Amino acid sequence: MSSIRDLFSGHVVAILCEGSAERIVMETLLDQGLLPFTADDTITDDWDRPTILRMPAAKFARIYLELTYPRPVIVLRVLDSVHEKFALPAAFRDVPVVSCYTRPEIERLIILREGWESEWQRVKSRTKPSDFCKKRLGAHIKQEEWLRDYWTPEELCKAIREYDTIHQRTRDDEHTLADLLPPGPIA
């Protein structure tokens, strides 16, 4: 049985991230060799980062897909909404797109790392995960510098895997970040 990890073999990967928190998560995993591709396999943004901030599909195609790459391109989207559309222009419809979701927000990983799950369950119907975390850790939870210091690869992988065990997937093609991690413990 193949996994989504196998899809990235032989491709150049464009990692589209919803925001700063998703970028830091993906760059941390990439730096530690925990993704099924390396930084050398990625399309970099204007600042030579291996992740690209989310943008409309047409704009992404115009900026990145009209260039020439040594291998076929695959797009990896990291976002929280399963309802967000991402339809590449007709000329690029053969480019595979894989989406990994962190519903309702990536800050769910912080809640899990901090051991706040039971408190979160009591307020989740009226509080967003980011607001819940801001009240406890401060408004800086969205800042890249703070996020880089906050996440160790081990804690990040543990939170990603824990999220995967409690998350209810609503679609057969719904993937989480855990699907990108290698099997077994993280050394």
Side-chain angles (χ1 to χ4, degrees), residues 4 77 79-87 97-103 163-164 167-176 179:
I4 69 164
R77 299 170 62 223
L79 67 164
D80 59 30
S81 175
V82 295
H83 303 293
E84 186 175 310
K85 302 293 183 222
F86 189 79
V97 177
V98 176
S99 298
C100 287
Y101 300 101
T102 58
R103 297 187 292 119
Y163 169 83
D164 193 55
H167 173 70
Q168 297 294 314
R169 297 178 195 225
T170 58
R171 300 168 18 171
D172 289 339
D173 65 343
E174 183 174 341
H175 301 291
T176 69
D179 297 325

Side-chain angles (χ1 to χ4, degrees), residues 108-117 159 162-163 166:
R108 283 291 282 124
L109 299 179
I110 294 174
I111 291 168
L112 293 168
R113 178 191 176 219
E114 295 293 334
W116 295 333
E117 185 63 19
E162 186 175 348
Y163 169 83
I166 62 173

Side-chain angles (χ1 to χ4, degrees), residues 122-141:
R122 288 193 295 270
V123 300
K124 72 178 186 179
S125 65
R126 61 186 184 279
T127 306
K128 294 185 338 183
S130 56
D131 292 336
F132 182 86
C133 292
K134 281 179 191 175
K135 285 180 184 174
R136 287 162 173 73
L137 296 173
H140 55 269
I141 66 160

Side-chain angles (χ1 to χ4, degrees), residues 28-94:
T28 299
L29 296 174
L30 194 59
D31 289 347
Q32 294 300 309
L34 297 170
L35 295 175
F37 47 85
T38 68
D40 290 338
D41 297 321
T42 64
I43 295 173
T44 58
D45 72 359
D46 291 340
W47 296 276
D48 207 31
R49 289 181 71 172
T51 58
I52 301 166
L53 281 175
R54 175 183 68 180
M55 63 184 70
K59 181 178 179 181
F60 168 75
R62 185 176 63 255
I63 295 171
Y64 294 101
L65 295 183
E66 291 180 1
L67 301 172
T68 303
Y69 299 101
R71 297 179 309 280
V73 172
I74 187 170
V75 177
L76 172 59
R77 299 170 62 223
V78 181
L79 67 164
D80 59 30
S81 175
V82 295
H83 303 293
E84 186 175 310
K85 302 293 183 222
F86 189 79
L88 291 170
F92 303 103
R93 292 274 161 79
D94 61 331

